[in-house]
């Protein structure tokens, strides 16, 4: 049996994760992500995959972020009818994420048609809600740390990756005619000592390793977000203001709720109204009670809630979100999106930025060019809804909440390997970052590694 792999995404970039493994007659796609960001990357989503899609037997998913699952409905449109394998929590998150992705694309296409700004006579989304509904019956969810037989000669284990709820690294075992080979896909690794999620699992050996390098050239802050959060809240309450927190719906919002829960229980902040103003974040938060196997947090038996707070309100309807604008003080509002580019947070900022008593608390990375970065950089006015809105409120940032392992933590994970893998591929990183991490691996472990190119095919084994 010959084994090869083709790199169809997340090489030279951190989006579009897709790796097609061919083992004999089996074709297994690991991750099926959508390209995001730069236009030249997004255009790849519209190009047919350079493979025979109906011949793909199985798709194995590491976790439910769109850059790892967002192409699945399109794959179905191109003729895929095989099985999709993931953890149980990832299956539930996948449906939420894909439906949201499809609805946003449909709305954007409808808006482009109405406004006439598209170069296409009839703009269409990459896929529709009906495509999501069609692909979901192919998905099967499994437990961590159990043997899952994909085919008679191929089996996998899902191991905790710690990145988001349900995220996994994959150990894949391929039985050839004379020997068995093990291929490890790191997936996106989370941080160690995360207050919500388990540490990335220790993996001791691999014949072939694909390791992510998202933050392979960075070391994350080591400050204490819990203490800083308490300080910001109490200082704002002393000014009789409100705290506004832009936060991603999956992962970050739940971490913030957990910290608020701890602070309230320890009487480090007073009980006060907390509003989670994101329908997706509300739905995702409810999954934590269903998937206790995927995180550390205990279930509050009194109300079947993980994130129990005395005055926590889940806001789902738009009219209830608008009512929050009338609140003048002593409240916390958490809303998407995390970089202030869209969603309900934009409306809150429009009303709150001019108020010197309020605080805008940034709890995640603000990418260059985003509204969040402009505010963080101290711009005195921000354009919103056709108006220049003055930034009079207090602006604070808390670091240390990243969901990605940094360079030190990636090296810690790699240090568990008792022997050097025969082949190491550096994936899921910007070009400079991947190069830097490859050099660090060489200096630290004396491992040679390869940074593959887009659409490159590598032969892993011949005649096993």
């Amino acid at each position: 049996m010959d084994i090869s792999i083709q790199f169809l995404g997340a090489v030279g970039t951190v989006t579009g994760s897709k790796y097609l493994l061919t083992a004999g007659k089996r074709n297994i796609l690991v991750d099926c992500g959508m390209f995001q960001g730069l236009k030249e990357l997004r255009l790849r989503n519209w190009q047919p995959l350079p493979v025979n899609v109906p011949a793909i037997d199985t798709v194995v998913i590491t976790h439910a972020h769109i850059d790892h699952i967002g192409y699945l409905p399109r794959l179905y449109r191109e003729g895929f009818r095989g099985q999709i394998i993931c953890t149980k929590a990832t299956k539930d998150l996948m449906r939420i994420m894909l439906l949201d992705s499809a609805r946003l694309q449909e709305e954007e296409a409808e808006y482009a048609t109405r406004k006439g700004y598209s170069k296409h006579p009839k703009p269409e989304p990459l896929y529709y809600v009906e495509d999501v509904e069609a692909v979901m019956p192919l998905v099967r969810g499994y437990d961590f740390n159990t043997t899952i037989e994909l085919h008679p000669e191929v089996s996998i284990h899902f191991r905790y990756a710690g990145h988001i709820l349900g995220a996994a690294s994959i150990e894949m075992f391929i039985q050839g005619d004379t020997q068995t080979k093990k291929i490890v896909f790191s997936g996106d690794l989370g941080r160690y000592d995360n207050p919500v999620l388990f540490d990335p699992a220790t993996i001791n050996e691999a014949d072939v390793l694909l390791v992510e390098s998202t933050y392979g050239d960075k070391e994350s802050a080591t400050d204490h977000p819990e203490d800083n959060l308490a300080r910001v809240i109490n200082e704002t309450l002393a000014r009789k203001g409100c705290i506004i927190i832009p936060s991603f719906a999956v992962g970050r919002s739940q971490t913030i709720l957990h910290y608020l829960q701890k602070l309230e229980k320890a009487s480090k902040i007073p009980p006060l109204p907390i509003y989670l103003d994101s329908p997706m974040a509300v739905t995702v938060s409810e999954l934590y009670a269903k998937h206790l196997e995927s995180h550390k947090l205990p279930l509050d038996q009194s109300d079947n809630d993980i994130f129990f707070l005395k005055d926590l309100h889940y806001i789902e309807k738009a009219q209830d979100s608008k009512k929050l604008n009338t609140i003048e003080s002593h409240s916390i509002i958490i809303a998407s999106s995390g970089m202030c580019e869209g969603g309900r947070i934009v409306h809150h900022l429009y009303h709150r930025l001019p108020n010197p008593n309020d605080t805008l608390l940034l709890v995640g990375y603000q990418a260059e060019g985003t509204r969040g970065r402009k505010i963080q950089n101290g711009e005195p006015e921000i354009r919103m809804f056709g108006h220049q809105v003055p930034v009079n409120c207090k602006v604070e940032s808390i670091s240390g909440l990243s969901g990605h392992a940094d360079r030190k933590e990636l090296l810690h994970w790699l240090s568990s390997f008792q022997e050097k893998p025969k082949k190491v591929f550096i994936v899921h990183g910007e070009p400079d970052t991947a190069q830097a991490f490859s050099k660090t691996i060489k200096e630290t472990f004396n491992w040679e590694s390869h940074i593959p190119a887009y659409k490159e095919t590598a032969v892993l084994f011949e005649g096993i």
Side-chain angles (χ1 to χ4, degrees):
M1 178 192 293
D2 295 340
I3 303 176
S4 63
I5 190 167
Q6 187 173 13
F7 299 89
L8 300 173
V11 285
T13 178
V14 295
T15 71
S17 292
K18 300 183 199 72
Y19 312 109
L20 183 65
L21 188 88
T22 300
K25 297 180 180 180
R26 302 295 184 189
N27 295 297
I28 301 167
L29 188 66
V30 177
D31 280 342
C32 190
M34 182 189 295
F35 287 100
Q36 299 169 303
L38 297 173
K39 183 177 180 180
E40 64 187 69
L41 293 175
R42 288 185 280 112
L43 288 174
R44 292 179 183 176
N45 294 320
W46 296 91
Q47 300 167 2
L49 284 183
V51 299
N52 181 11
V53 170
I56 298 174
D57 303 290
T58 304
V59 178
V60 184
I61 297 295
T62 60
H63 68 282
H65 275 148
I66 288 297
D67 61 324
H68 292 257
I69 63 168
Y71 195 80
L72 280 171
R74 186 73 180 190
L75 196 74
Y76 184 91
R77 285 173 68 94
E78 293 183 10
F80 172 74
R81 296 297 184 271
Q83 58 182 346
I84 300 170
I85 306 297
C86 59
T87 66
K88 290 178 178 177
T90 293
K91 179 183 176 182
D92 286 345
L93 267 178
M94 183 187 298
R95 180 176 181 82
I96 297 168
M97 300 291 282
L98 289 178
L99 285 173
D100 182 69
S101 173
R103 289 186 186 115
L104 288 174
Q105 291 180 62
E106 288 182 8
E107 289 171 5
E108 185 176 341
E110 188 276 331
Y111 185 79
T113 300
R114 184 155 41 90
K115 294 295 184 179
Y117 65 74
S118 174
K119 65 180 181 181
H120 302 288
K122 186 184 177 184
E124 293 188 3
L126 189 64
Y127 50 81
Y128 295 83
V129 167
E130 64 189 43
D131 297 313
V132 177
E133 298 290 3
V135 77
M136 284 305 300
L138 304 181
V139 183
R140 302 287 182 269
Y142 291 88
D143 291 324
F144 285 96
N145 303 319
T146 60
T147 299
I148 305 161
E149 185 179 280
L150 304 184
H151 306 288
E153 65 275 29
V154 183
S155 63
I156 64 169
H157 295 159
F158 286 124
R159 307 293 301 278
Y160 290 111
H163 177 54
I164 62 170
L165 190 73
S169 299
I170 298 168
E171 294 179 305
M172 182 178 294
F173 303 87
I174 302 176
Q175 177 64 57
D177 298 326
T178 59
Q179 52 190 303
T180 299
K181 296 297 183 182
K182 179 179 176 182
I183 303 172
V184 170
F185 300 83
S186 73
D188 285 7
L189 296 169
R191 304 202 65 189
Y192 289 84
D193 299 320
N194 184 295
V196 176
L197 301 173
F198 297 115
D199 287 349
T202 296
I203 297 178
N204 295 321
E205 58 183 358
D207 294 296
V208 176
L209 171 64
L210 277 72
V211 60
E212 65 115 328
S213 59
T214 311
Y215 287 168
D217 62 345
K218 298 178 179 65
E219 301 219 351
S220 300
T222 57
D223 56 1
H224 301 286
E226 187 177 334
D227 295 339
N228 286 329
L229 183 58
R231 175 187 59 79
V232 170
I233 292 170
N234 289 318
E235 288 178 357
T236 306
L237 296 182
R239 296 195 305 272
K240 295 182 168 51
C242 293
I243 301 94
I244 314 302
I245 305 178
S247 185
F248 296 110
V250 180
R252 192 65 49 83
S253 290
Q254 291 74 34
T255 300
I256 293 296
L257 286 177
H258 171 66
Y259 278 131
L260 292 173
Q261 185 184 51
K262 287 184 66 179
L263 291 171
E264 187 179 282
K265 284 183 177 179
S267 298
K268 293 183 178 180
I269 61 171
L272 74 166
I274 298 167
Y275 301 93
L276 183 60
D277 187 19
S278 164
M280 181 187 288
V282 170
T283 304
V284 170
S285 298
E286 292 169 349
L287 287 182
Y288 281 68
K290 180 179 179 182
H291 293 288
L292 298 176
E293 80 287 347
S294 293
H295 61 83
K296 301 175 181 177
L297 303 182
L299 182 67
D300 188 307
Q301 299 295 339
S302 62
D303 60 359
N304 201 43
D305 194 359
I306 293 291
F307 304 103
F308 176 76
L309 286 144
K310 293 178 181 178
D311 204 0
L312 174 63
H313 305 267
Y314 289 151
I315 306 298
E316 299 195 56
K317 296 180 181 178
Q319 59 264 35
D320 293 331
S321 176
K322 292 176 183 177
K323 291 177 183 177
L324 301 181
N325 295 327
T326 63
I327 299 173
E328 295 183 358
S329 66
H330 288 79
S331 293
I332 298 173
I333 300 170
I334 305 168
S336 299
S337 67
M339 296 186 191
C340 308
E341 284 293 277
R344 293 181 179 179
I345 191 64
V346 179
H347 298 273
H348 293 304
L349 294 181
Y350 183 79
H351 291 277
R352 299 287 177 176
L353 288 180
N355 187 356
N357 293 333
D358 289 345
T359 297
L360 173 64
L361 177 58
L362 302 171
V363 296
Y365 177 72
Q366 306 298 313
E368 192 70 42
T370 63
R371 188 177 282 116
R373 173 64 76 88
K374 292 174 183 176
I375 296 172
Q376 192 175 53
N377 286 346
E379 293 195 14
E381 293 183 334
I382 301 295
R383 189 163 184 82
M384 304 172 71
F385 304 122
H387 301 280
Q388 291 296 120
V389 179
V391 182
N392 298 329
C393 71
K394 179 82 168 176
V395 178
E396 298 263 12
S397 297
I398 290 180
S399 55
L401 291 170
S402 171
H404 275 283
D406 64 9
R407 173 174 54 195
K408 183 177 179 181
E409 289 162 322
L410 289 171
L411 292 175
H412 177 72
W413 186 78
L414 289 173
S415 69
S416 298
F417 286 84
Q418 296 175 355
E419 294 184 9
K420 172 185 173 182
K422 295 179 179 63
K423 296 180 186 291
V424 179
F425 297 96
I426 309 295
V427 297
H428 206 281
E430 300 296 341
D432 290 347
T433 302
Q435 289 285 355
F437 191 52
S438 178
K439 181 180 179 182
T440 299
I441 288 176
K442 173 66 175 177
E443 293 171 347
T444 306
F445 303 112
N446 198 28
W447 295 358
E448 298 295 337
S449 57
H450 177 63
I451 303 171
Y454 179 50
K455 296 184 181 181
E456 178 182 337
T457 298
V459 176
L460 303 181
F461 303 102
E462 293 180 295
I464 67 166

